[in-house]
Amino acid sequence: MTPEAIRIVTQLRREFYSLFATEMGVPVIITNSNSSASNPSIASWVDRQQRLNYIYIYVHLSPDELIPNRPFLLKLAINKGAGIATSTKQHQDSQKLNQRWYFELTLLPEEILDFLPWIVSLVQSHEKGFTSFALEPPHPLEVKMSHLPLSGDIWTQKAGQQASHTLVVK
């Protein structure tokens, strides 16, 4: 990853997590870590069923010294990812991790803050047991749903186009 990409993702994490904590309306713990450390920065909260949930942002693709023209794509994940349990466990030892649903969105860095109200709506709707929510996504999406309710791998159309273009060019 280039130093500029590291700076951008660090800044976006800080801003997104802070705004997310404000909008959620429940206590949210933000764990800040070095972007190159094995434990990423995350935001975690306890839901009404006393399950620990977490959201984190990580780099899916990034330009680097060898491939400077590679697209810069981020993933925003909720309750998904190995190794996160150790990061969250230290803050909420008595809570069980929510393994009933997960969500993942692949998007461009410039799209992430636009998705904040949509993500908050998704989390709050899921907690209330709704299978849909009122907010329209701020950017068009490509959905790859799994067999679990409200679980899936979703890409913004622009992120999908950039990833596809990269595969075709190789």
Side-chain angles (χ1 to χ4, degrees), residues 40-78:
S41 298
I42 63 168
S44 60
W45 69 98
V46 176
D47 63 21
R48 292 179 187 179
Q49 289 78 36
Q50 298 303 303
R51 291 179 304 217
L52 183 63
N53 295 270
Y54 56 91
I55 186 169
Y56 71 109
I57 298 164
Y58 65 99
V59 177
H60 178 64
L61 287 175
S62 173
D64 61 26
E65 290 179 14
L66 296 175
I67 309 172
N69 294 328
R70 183 183 302 156
F72 189 14
L73 302 178
L74 301 178
K75 286 204 179 257
L76 184 150
I78 300 173

Coordinates of all heavy atoms in Angstrom, one line a residue, residues 40-78:
P40 N -7.0 -4.7 13.6 CA -7.5 -3.5 12.9 C -8.3 -2.6 13.8 O -8.8 -3.0 14.9 CB -8.3 -4.0 11.7 CG -8.9 -5.3 12.2 CD -7.8 -5.9 13.1
S41 N -8.4 -1.3 13.5 CA -9.3 -0.4 14.2 C -10.7 -0.9 13.9 O -11.1 -1.2 12.8 CB -9.1 1.0 13.7 OG -7.8 1.5 13.9
I42 N -11.5 -0.9 15.0 CA -12.9 -1.3 14.9 C -13.8 -0.5 15.7 O -13.3 0.2 16.6 CB -13.1 -2.8 15.3 CG1 -12.8 -3.0 16.7 CG2 -12.3 -3.7 14.4 CD1 -13.2 -4.4 17.2
A43 N -15.1 -0.6 15.5 CA -16.1 0.0 16.4 C -17.0 -1.1 16.8 O -17.4 -1.9 16.0 CB -16.9 1.1 15.6
S44 N -17.3 -1.2 18.1 CA -18.1 -2.4 18.6 C -19.2 -1.8 19.5 O -19.0 -0.8 20.1 CB -17.3 -3.4 19.3 OG -16.6 -2.9 20.4
W45 N -20.3 -2.6 19.6 CA -21.4 -2.2 20.4 C -22.2 -3.5 20.8 O -22.0 -4.5 20.2 CB -22.4 -1.3 19.7 CG -23.1 -1.9 18.6 CD1 -24.4 -2.3 18.6 CD2 -22.6 -2.1 17.2 NE1 -24.7 -2.8 17.3 CE2 -23.7 -2.7 16.5 CE3 -21.4 -1.8 16.6 CZ2 -23.5 -3.0 15.2 CZ3 -21.3 -2.2 15.3 CH2 -22.3 -2.8 14.6
V46 N -23.0 -3.4 21.9 CA -23.8 -4.5 22.3 C -25.2 -4.3 21.9 O -25.8 -3.2 22.2 CB -23.6 -4.7 23.9 CG1 -24.5 -5.8 24.4 CG2 -22.2 -5.0 24.3
D47 N -25.8 -5.3 21.3 CA -27.2 -5.1 20.9 C -28.2 -5.5 22.0 O -27.8 -5.8 23.1 CB -27.5 -5.9 19.6 CG -27.3 -7.4 19.8 OD1 -27.4 -8.0 20.9 OD2 -27.2 -8.1 18.8
R48 N -29.5 -5.4 21.7 CA -30.5 -5.7 22.7 C -30.5 -7.1 23.2 O -31.0 -7.4 24.3 CB -31.9 -5.4 22.1 CG -32.1 -3.9 21.8 CD -33.5 -3.7 21.2 NE -33.6 -2.3 20.8 CZ -34.6 -1.8 20.2 NH1 -35.7 -2.6 19.9 NH2 -34.6 -0.5 19.9
Q49 N -30.0 -8.0 22.4 CA -29.9 -9.4 22.9 C -28.6 -9.7 23.6 O -28.2 -10.8 23.9 CB -30.0 -10.4 21.7 CG -31.4 -10.4 21.1 CD -31.7 -9.2 20.2 OE1 -30.8 -8.7 19.5 NE2 -32.9 -8.8 20.2
Q50 N -27.9 -8.6 24.0 CA -26.6 -8.7 24.7 C -25.5 -9.4 23.9 O -24.6 -10.1 24.5 CB -26.8 -9.3 26.1 CG -27.7 -8.5 27.0 CD -27.2 -7.1 27.2 OE1 -26.1 -6.8 27.6 NE2 -28.0 -6.1 26.8
R51 N -25.6 -9.3 22.6 CA -24.5 -9.8 21.7 C -23.6 -8.7 21.3 O -24.1 -7.6 20.9 CB -25.1 -10.5 20.5 CG -25.9 -11.8 20.9 CD -26.5 -12.4 19.6 NE -27.3 -11.4 19.0 CZ -28.5 -11.6 18.4 NH1 -28.9 -12.8 18.3 NH2 -29.2 -10.7 17.8
L52 N -22.3 -9.0 21.2 CA -21.3 -8.0 20.8 C -21.3 -8.0 19.2 O -21.2 -9.0 18.6 CB -20.0 -8.4 21.3 CG -18.8 -7.5 21.0 CD1 -19.1 -6.1 21.6 CD2 -17.5 -8.0 21.5
N53 N -21.4 -6.8 18.7 CA -21.4 -6.6 17.2 C -20.2 -5.7 16.9 O -19.7 -4.9 17.8 CB -22.6 -5.9 16.7 CG -23.9 -6.8 16.9 OD1 -24.2 -7.5 16.0 ND2 -24.5 -6.7 18.1
Y54 N -19.6 -5.8 15.7 CA -18.5 -4.9 15.4 C -18.6 -4.5 13.9 O -19.2 -5.2 13.1 CB -17.2 -5.5 15.7 CG -17.0 -6.9 15.1 CD1 -16.4 -7.0 13.8 CD2 -17.4 -8.1 15.7 CE1 -16.2 -8.2 13.2 CE2 -17.2 -9.3 15.1 CZ -16.6 -9.4 13.9 OH -16.5 -10.6 13.3
I55 N -18.0 -3.4 13.6 CA -17.9 -2.9 12.2 C -16.4 -2.5 12.1 O -15.8 -2.0 13.0 CB -18.8 -1.7 12.0 CG1 -18.9 -1.3 10.5 CG2 -18.5 -0.6 12.9 CD1 -20.0 -0.4 10.1
Y56 N -15.9 -2.9 10.9 CA -14.5 -2.4 10.6 C -14.4 -2.2 9.1 O -15.1 -2.7 8.3 CB -13.5 -3.4 11.2 CG -13.4 -4.7 10.5 CD1 -12.3 -5.0 9.7 CD2 -14.3 -5.7 10.6 CE1 -12.1 -6.3 9.1 CE2 -14.2 -6.9 10.0 CZ -13.1 -7.2 9.3 OH -13.0 -8.4 8.7
I57 N -13.4 -1.4 8.8 CA -13.1 -1.0 7.5 C -11.7 -1.5 7.2 O -10.8 -1.2 8.0 CB -13.2 0.6 7.3 CG1 -14.6 1.0 7.6 CG2 -12.7 1.0 5.9 CD1 -14.7 2.5 7.9
Y58 N -11.5 -2.2 6.1 CA -10.2 -2.6 5.7 C -10.0 -2.5 4.2 O -11.0 -2.3 3.4 CB -9.9 -4.0 6.2 CG -10.8 -5.1 5.6 CD1 -10.3 -5.9 4.5 CD2 -12.0 -5.4 6.1 CE1 -11.1 -6.9 4.0 CE2 -12.8 -6.4 5.5 CZ -12.3 -7.2 4.5 OH -13.1 -8.2 4.0
V59 N -8.8 -2.6 3.8 CA -8.4 -2.4 2.3 C -8.6 -3.7 1.6 O -8.1 -4.7 2.0 CB -7.0 -1.9 2.2 CG1 -6.6 -1.8 0.7 CG2 -6.8 -0.5 2.9
H60 N -9.4 -3.7 0.5 CA -9.5 -4.8 -0.3 C -8.5 -4.9 -1.4 O -7.8 -5.9 -1.7 CB -10.9 -4.8 -1.0 CG -11.2 -5.9 -1.9 ND1 -11.2 -7.3 -1.5 CD2 -11.5 -6.0 -3.2 CE1 -11.5 -8.0 -2.5 NE2 -11.6 -7.3 -3.6
L61 N -8.3 -3.8 -2.1 CA -7.3 -3.6 -3.1 C -6.7 -2.2 -2.9 O -7.4 -1.3 -2.5 CB -7.8 -3.6 -4.5 CG -8.3 -5.0 -5.1 CD1 -8.9 -4.8 -6.5 CD2 -7.1 -5.9 -5.2
S62 N -5.4 -2.0 -3.3 CA -4.8 -0.7 -3.1 C -3.6 -0.6 -4.1 O -2.9 -1.6 -4.3 CB -4.3 -0.6 -1.7 OG -3.5 0.6 -1.5
P63 N -3.3 0.6 -4.5 CA -2.1 0.8 -5.3 C -0.9 0.5 -4.4 O -1.0 0.7 -3.2 CB -2.2 2.2 -5.7 CG -3.4 2.8 -5.1 CD -4.1 1.8 -4.3
D64 N 0.2 0.1 -5.0 CA 1.4 -0.1 -4.3 C 2.6 0.2 -5.2 O 2.4 0.6 -6.3 CB 1.5 -1.5 -3.6 CG 1.5 -2.6 -4.6 OD1 1.9 -2.4 -5.8 OD2 1.1 -3.7 -4.2
E65 N 3.8 0.0 -4.7 CA 5.0 0.3 -5.6 C 5.0 -0.5 -6.8 O 5.5 0.0 -7.9 CB 6.2 0.1 -4.7 CG 6.4 1.1 -3.6 CD 7.7 0.9 -2.8 OE1 8.6 0.1 -3.3 OE2 7.8 1.5 -1.8
L66 N 4.6 -1.7 -6.8 CA 4.7 -2.6 -8.0 C 3.5 -2.4 -8.9 O 3.7 -2.5 -10.2 CB 4.7 -4.1 -7.5 CG 5.9 -4.5 -6.7 CD1 5.8 -6.0 -6.3 CD2 7.2 -4.3 -7.5
I67 N 2.4 -2.1 -8.4 CA 1.2 -1.8 -9.3 C 0.5 -0.5 -8.8 O -0.5 -0.5 -8.1 CB 0.2 -3.0 -9.1 CG1 0.9 -4.3 -9.4 CG2 -1.0 -2.8 -10.2 CD1 0.0 -5.5 -9.1
P68 N 1.1 0.6 -9.3 CA 0.6 1.9 -8.9 C -0.8 2.3 -9.4 O -1.5 3.1 -8.8 CB 1.7 2.9 -9.4 CG 2.4 2.2 -10.5 CD 2.3 0.7 -10.1
N69 N -1.2 1.6 -10.5 CA -2.5 1.9 -11.1 C -3.6 1.0 -10.6 O -4.7 1.1 -11.1 CB -2.4 1.8 -12.6 CG -1.5 2.9 -13.1 OD1 -1.5 4.0 -12.6 ND2 -0.8 2.6 -14.2
R70 N -3.3 0.1 -9.6 CA -4.4 -0.8 -9.1 C -5.5 0.1 -8.4 O -5.2 1.1 -7.8 CB -3.8 -1.7 -8.0 CG -4.8 -2.7 -7.5 CD -4.2 -3.6 -6.4 NE -3.0 -4.3 -6.9 CZ -2.1 -4.8 -6.1 NH1 -2.1 -4.6 -4.8 NH2 -1.1 -5.4 -6.6
P71 N -6.7 -0.3 -8.6 CA -7.8 0.5 -7.9 C -7.7 0.4 -6.4 O -7.1 -0.5 -5.8 CB -9.1 -0.2 -8.4 CG -8.7 -1.4 -9.0 CD -7.3 -1.4 -9.3
F72 N -8.2 1.5 -5.8 CA -8.2 1.5 -4.3 C -9.6 1.2 -3.9 O -10.6 2.0 -4.0 CB -7.8 3.0 -3.9 CG -7.6 3.1 -2.4 CD1 -7.5 2.1 -1.5 CD2 -7.5 4.4 -1.9 CE1 -7.2 2.3 -0.2 CE2 -7.2 4.7 -0.6 CZ -7.1 3.6 0.3
L73 N -9.8 0.0 -3.3 CA -11.2 -0.4 -2.9 C -11.1 -0.8 -1.4 O -10.2 -1.5 -1.0 CB -11.6 -1.7 -3.7 CG -11.7 -1.5 -5.2 CD1 -12.1 -2.9 -5.8 CD2 -12.7 -0.4 -5.6
L74 N -12.2 -0.4 -0.7 CA -12.3 -0.7 0.7 C -13.4 -1.7 0.9 O -14.3 -1.8 0.1 CB -12.6 0.5 1.5 CG -11.6 1.7 1.4 CD1 -12.1 2.9 2.2 CD2 -10.2 1.2 1.9
K75 N -13.4 -2.4 2.0 CA -14.5 -3.3 2.5 C -14.9 -2.7 3.8 O -14.1 -2.4 4.7 CB -14.1 -4.7 2.6 CG -13.9 -5.4 1.2 CD -14.1 -6.9 1.4 CE -14.0 -7.5 0.0 NZ -15.3 -7.9 -0.6
L76 N -16.2 -2.6 4.0 CA -16.8 -2.3 5.3 C -17.6 -3.5 5.7 O -18.5 -4.0 5.0 CB -17.8 -1.1 5.1 CG -18.4 -0.6 6.3 CD1 -18.7 0.9 6.1 CD2 -19.7 -1.3 6.7
A77 N -17.1 -4.1 6.8 CA -17.7 -5.4 7.3 C -18.3 -5.2 8.6 O -17.8 -4.5 9.5 CB -16.6 -6.4 7.3
I78 N -19.5 -5.9 8.8 CA -20.1 -6.0 10.1 C -20.2 -7.4 10.5 O -20.6 -8.3 9.7 CB -21.6 -5.4 10.0 CG1 -21.6 -4.0 9.5 CG2 -22.3 -5.6 11.3 CD1 -23.0 -3.4 9.2

